[in-house]
Structures are given as C-alpha cells and as structure tokens.
Amino acid sequence: MTFTEWFLFFLFVQVIHFLGTWKLYQRAGRKAWEAAVPVYNAVILMKIINRPWWWVVLMFIPIVNLIIFPVVWVETIRSFGRNSTTETFLVILTLGFYIYYVNYATKDAYIEDRDLKPGTEAGEWISSILFAVIAATIVHTYIMQPFTIPTSSLEKTLLVGDFLFVSKFHYGARVPQTAVAFPMVHDTIPILGVKSYLNKPQIPYFRFPGFENVERNDIVVFNWPVDTVRKFFDRSGKHYKKPVDKKSNYVKRAVGVPGDSLSVVDGYVHINGEQLELPERAKPQFSYVGTTKGQPFNPQSLYKLYDITDGYSYNPNNNFFVIRALSEENFERFKNHPNVASIRRYVDSAGVKNPSLFPNDGKRNWNNDNFGPVYIPEAGKTVDITPESMPFYKEIIETYEGEEMGISNKLSVNGTQVLLNGQPIDSYTFKQNYYWMMGDNRNNSEDSRTWGYVPENHIVGKPVFIWMSWDSNASGFDKIRWDRVFTTVKGDGEPTSFLPYFLIVLVIFFGWRYFKKRREA
C-alpha cells in the first residue's frame, strides 16, 4: 500500500470509529463530534476509558497496535458495564464491531470511576504479560535486537556462537513493512513452524534518522536481498515471496559503500584502486593447501593451537591437505609445524571463470579471488545503461527500486538498445544507496560476490555488543568463552570484557537494596 492508500484507509477507520462510538461519547459527557476528529478522538477515548494519553502513541506503532487495539476495545465496553467474559471474547472476535451493539442497542450508563484493576489473578497476569510484550516489541523493533552468529563467514572477528545486541538506532530504526505480524519473531513462529506474518497490507518504507551512516568496514546486519531460504510453500510448490523485513537476517562487513569502485585482487579487496585497510580487530582468513611429512593432523590440536575451526581435509595417498580457513597470524605459526612439508595460500588465478558469481551472466572471467571492478551505486548518481552494463543493474531497477517500492519496472534489450517498460533508456539515476557486503572468511563466505548489492532499505542494524559467547568446538563439551562475554564489537586492540564491572555493579545494587530494606524494617 502507498502512503495515499494508507491515508485513505486511516480516514475510513475514522468513519467506522465515529459511527460505532458517537453515542458512547455522549453518554460519557462528551460531544458527538469529538468521536469524528482524527487523533483527537483517540485522546478523548483514553480519557473516557481512564487510560493515559500516551496509549494513543501505541495505537500508531506497527505491530504494537495489533496488541493495543483489542485492549482498547475491551476497555471501552467495560467502561459501560460490559464486563462478562463472553462479551470480552465477542468484542475481540468481531474485531471491535461488538461496540456497535453497545453503542446503538444498549442504554448502559457510563461508569466514570471504574476500577481499572483486573478482577481476577488471571486478568492481572494477562495485563502484565500484554504490556511486557508491548515494551519488548518496541525495544526489539526500534532500539536493540538480539542476534546470533550462525556461520563462520566473519571468523575470527565474530565467532559462531556469539550472541549479539544489534543497535537499530545507529543507522536509524526501520519501520516494519509488514503491518500484521506476530511480535518479536522473524519469519517463523517458534514450535508451530508457520509464517509469522501476512504479506499484505504492506507499510511503505520509512526509516527514522540515525546518528551515523554505514561506513566502510562496518559490520552490518541486513536482510539477505535474494532470499531463497524460504520455508513456506504454496500448493503449487512455489516459494512464498517474503517482504523485505522478513527476509533472512545476514551479518557481513560493508567493504564497499555508495560511490566506491570495488575489485578483488588475489583475494584482497581493493577500493578505488587501493587495497582496503581493515580495522585492527579484523582477522581475515584464507584457505591454504600443502603437504605433510607423512602424518595427518589431529583436528583438536589444530583447534587448540592454531584456532582452526572450519576443519581440514587430508589425502593419505599423497599427504596432501587443505586448511579451509586460517588467519594470516596463525599461518605464520602453522607453517613451522614439524609435520608441515609445504604450505601455500590457495588463490584462484585471474581469468579462471566461476559462472555462479555476480552479475550471473556468465560473460566474465571472474572468481572469488579475482573479481571486478564493480561500481557500487549511490543515491542520486546516474550511470550509463547499455546491454553490457545492464546485468549489473537489472535487479536494482526491477526489484529493489521497482517491485519492492511498489513500482512495475521491466528491463529488456532490443538489439543494441535497452528498454525500461518498453521505452528506450541510455542512463539511470539511483533512488537509494547500495552496499557491498563480504565475510572476513574470504574463501568460505557466500556474500556480495555471489548475489551482488545490498540496498539501503535492507539494512537492519549495527552489532555493538557481545553479551554471551558459546564455543561448540571445545574438546568433548561446549563451553562459554568468558573472554568474549560483555565485549564490544568495535574497537581497537583485543576485546576487553566488561563482565567483572557489571558483576561489581550488581553486587553493589543488591547490597544497597538489602541494607535499605533492613533499615526500613
């Protein structure tokens, strides 16, 4: 739905509200016309049901409003003496339209000093749970969201088993585009394994102002643009199409930002012709091949001594081995292992074609180690569109700036002429920024080299804090990585755990409460 369609829908809701409540407003000592004025009518209704004015704000927050509206419906009928469990269920099951019956078919007096406390212990629990869910949904959607590192693409910067807090406000919180969804879950309701949302209606894309932009080398959580990890199928066997905010969450490093020209040379990222300088905490990994002096390696020893977590393969017939991921620091130590006869970094030669890489047209002799150059689009900038350049921008124009923005765009080629919706074009001006996301685990990461640009409207947030880290590679049993608990994601030098300081604050707080209660007793 467009902003215009939502505005018309809002006015339609106001008409429904007026027709269903104007007599109730009069019974409560208000004027009938007050039920017709948008927003103002909601403020007056909060006074009628003896609830704070800020509930009105909750009614306009997507997802949260799905919880608060039923509460307001119930509170409205109870303000006129309708307290039975049957009527409570009726007003919810009829989506509030039971209020029409109360408005036109009853003459119950308004209860001005109604007791707002739930009449039963169960009611007290339900009320507490509802508002806990509302508060958690607001935090989860607009402030901070928990996230788990599921894959090794950012090892050794972020580890498999790291539990993160992802800030939504650094880059600006994005308003959910799915208007009807189960709160605090992504695309699936846990245990039930069913979709957590309805595809329609959709809220137009809007992002609140942030206090910083995505900068080069930032680690970013985003929605995977070409999401094919869809768990839901219709009867024809086709995938459901996911809204942007319900696409799978990925985390990578933004190695390229809008306006950059990016290439990969022998595995190293180059920006505008210069090799990218990574932050101090970044520890890129590469694959290595070599031969042993006759004996295989012990996997647990490789993990403990050289932090090799992606495993290795070994061929006893020729003593050949492959280390899938090893940092340069650990390589310098591992090459001196007494069982290593030879070792070198694996690099796909320039000119060797990998047809599965972006832009997926099979015309370029590119591979993961020698790739590009590609231009990373910037909002407001114009590029030439030719049959040769079209594969780079086709998905952008048709999907990210077309279909997902409610616009029907179709690119095609007629001889040497590119057509947009049947009309010849020779250039295109981008409507939003794009980013190039890659993993630090260079040879074991599916990233922008495979699926291309990440649009700005797919940006979710910035990982800022590791609150827990669980190591599943430990010998014999899982264990907590205590040195990573309560550490920041960004910073210079080795991460410093703030857990001791947190525990000291907790001891002081609970000690203060204990002695305060004893003094008051």
Side-chain angles (χ1 to χ4, degrees):
M1 293 175 66
T2 64
F3 281 108
T4 301
E5 290 170 334
W6 273 108
F7 180 70
L8 293 175
F9 175 74
F10 173 73
L11 293 181
F12 177 66
V13 170
Q14 300 306 307
V15 172
I16 292 176
H17 174 77
F18 172 74
L19 294 177
T21 60
W22 64 275
K23 285 191 174 184
L24 300 182
Y25 276 67
Q26 287 181 322
R27 286 190 223 170
R30 309 298 305 193
K31 304 294 184 181
W33 62 265
E34 291 182 294
V37 181
V39 183
Y40 175 75
N41 55 11
V43 174
I44 297 303
L45 182 60
M46 293 307 110
K47 292 182 178 180
I48 292 173
I49 67 176
N50 290 320
R51 294 299 183 180
W53 65 268
W54 51 261
W55 274 33
V56 176
V57 178
L58 300 180
M59 297 170 72
F60 289 91
I61 299 177
I63 309 303
V64 170
N65 53 17
L66 300 179
I67 304 171
I68 200 67
F69 270 117
V71 174
V72 171
W73 298 335
V74 171
E75 293 286 296
T76 299
I77 63 171
R78 288 182 176 177
S79 294
F80 295 89
R82 299 285 164 165
N83 297 307
S84 71
T85 302
T86 300
E87 288 181 298
T88 298
F89 277 108
L90 272 174
V91 75
I92 293 174
L93 292 175
T94 61
L95 302 180
F97 280 97
Y98 182 69
I99 296 174
Y100 271 67
Y101 171 79
V102 179
N103 187 60
Y104 290 106
T106 71
K107 295 183 179 180
D108 300 308
Y110 170 62
I111 306 172
E112 185 173 0
D113 298 320
R114 179 173 62 95
D115 185 6
L116 300 181
K117 187 176 181 180
T120 64
E121 187 175 345
E124 185 77 36
W125 273 100
I126 292 172
S127 178
S128 299
I129 290 172
L130 280 176
F131 279 93
V133 170
I134 288 173
T137 300
I138 292 173
V139 171
H140 184 275
T141 306
Y142 298 98
I143 302 173
M144 198 77 69
Q145 176 183 346
F147 187 83
T148 306
I149 298 296
T151 69
S152 62
S153 69
L154 277 172
E155 297 255 352
K156 299 300 178 182
T157 309
L158 293 179
L159 310 183
V160 174
D162 279 351
F163 292 81
L164 311 174
F165 282 134
V166 175
S167 164
K168 299 292 187 72
F169 55 85
H170 274 74
Y171 303 139
R174 184 181 60 182
V175 173
Q177 291 175 264
T178 47
V180 182
F182 198 85
M184 291 191 303
V185 300
H186 193 52
D187 61 346
T188 310
I189 298 177
I191 302 175
L192 299 178
V194 297
K195 281 174 62 177
S196 64
Y197 61 94
L198 298 180
N199 285 66
K200 293 182 179 180
Q202 287 283 298
I203 300 171
Y205 170 70
F206 176 78
R207 186 184 294 275
F208 289 102
F211 62 82
E212 66 179 55
N213 297 318
V214 177
E215 297 177 354
R216 192 180 297 115
N217 284 327
D218 275 359
I219 294 176
V220 180
V221 173
F222 57 94
N223 297 118
W224 189 26
V226 292
D227 190 359
T228 55
V229 186
R230 303 181 177 101
K231 298 181 180 179
F232 310 106
F233 301 85
D234 60 25
R235 291 181 180 178
S236 67
K238 295 180 179 179
H239 293 295
Y240 278 97
K241 180 174 177 58
K242 286 184 177 180
V244 170
D245 58 331
K246 294 303 178 182
K247 293 181 178 181
S248 300
N249 286 328
Y250 266 40
V251 58
K252 306 286 182 186
R253 188 181 299 279
V255 295
V257 296
D260 283 347
S261 176
L262 178 143
S263 59
V264 181
V265 181
D266 291 336
Y268 294 101
V269 176
H270 286 65
I271 301 295
N272 304 321
E274 299 290 333
Q275 184 171 325
L276 175 66
E277 185 175 341
L278 292 169
E280 185 177 351
R281 285 193 187 177
K283 297 178 180 179
Q285 294 191 111
F286 300 93
S287 294
Y288 289 84
V289 296
T291 58
T292 72
K293 294 180 180 179
Q295 297 295 325
F297 297 107
N298 181 293
Q300 285 300 326
S301 294
L302 292 181
Y303 166 68
K304 291 180 178 179
L305 298 176
Y306 305 102
D307 203 16
I308 296 174
T309 50
D310 280 18
Y312 91 108
S313 57
Y314 178 71
N315 187 338
N317 295 325
N318 56 11
N319 298 326
F320 181 80
F321 69 86
V322 176
I323 302 292
R324 296 187 181 92
L326 183 65
S327 69
E328 293 176 309
E329 176 186 355
N330 284 319
F331 162 70
E332 292 299 325
R333 297 171 51 239
F334 181 67
K335 70 182 181 180
N336 296 318
H337 190 287
N339 191 36
V340 172
S342 66
I343 185 171
R344 63 178 177 84
R345 185 164 67 88
Y346 176 81
V347 179
D348 265 338
S349 301
V352 174
K353 180 188 292 188
N354 182 343
S356 65
L357 296 186
F358 180 81
N360 310 106
D361 61 355
K363 295 182 179 179
R364 291 159 182 82
N365 295 328
W366 293 356
N367 55 61
N368 275 327
D369 293 319
N370 287 280
F371 181 96
V374 295
Y375 170 73
I376 303 172
E378 182 178 1
K381 293 298 177 67
T382 302
V383 298
D384 294 333
I385 300 294
T386 65
E388 291 73 28
S389 67
M390 189 182 79
F392 290 93
Y393 309 117
K394 181 178 175 66
E395 191 74 16
I396 285 178
I397 296 171
E398 290 188 343
T399 303
Y400 308 144
E401 305 209 343
E403 181 182 340
E404 291 175 353
M405 295 292 189
I407 302 170
S408 179
N409 279 342
K410 181 65 178 176
L411 274 183
S412 59
V413 177
N414 183 11
T416 59
Q417 182 67 61
V418 177
L419 306 178
L420 175 58
N421 301 325
Q423 300 299 315
I425 63 167
D426 55 17
S427 64
Y428 182 82
T429 302
F430 300 106
K431 295 181 176 65
Q432 63 176 319
N433 289 319
Y434 293 82
Y435 301 88
W436 195 266
M437 305 291 187
M438 287 177 61
D440 289 352
N441 199 344
R442 292 287 192 253
N443 296 103
N444 193 19
S445 171
E446 183 182 309
D447 49 38
S448 285
R449 290 171 293 181
T450 301
W451 31 259
Y453 308 110
V454 174
E456 187 169 35
N457 68 344
H458 285 57
I459 300 296
V460 173
K462 180 175 184 175
V464 293
F465 194 71
I466 300 171
W467 62 272
M468 173 60 76
S469 186
W470 192 257
D471 185 0
S472 296
N473 286 300
S475 177
F477 56 90
D478 295 350
K479 68 176 183 180
I480 296 174
R481 303 184 184 100
W482 290 107
D483 61 326
R484 295 184 65 80
V485 174
F486 277 58
T487 60
T488 57
V489 173
K490 191 174 182 179
D492 296 325
E494 290 299 318
T496 300
S497 175
F498 292 92
L499 180 60
Y501 305 101
F502 174 74
L503 294 176
I504 291 171
V505 170
L506 278 184
V507 170
I508 294 173
F509 173 74
F510 284 109
W512 172 77
R513 286 191 61 184
Y514 173 76
F515 287 110
K516 182 181 178 184
K517 286 183 178 179
R518 287 197 61 179
R519 214 169 29 244
E520 293 173 351

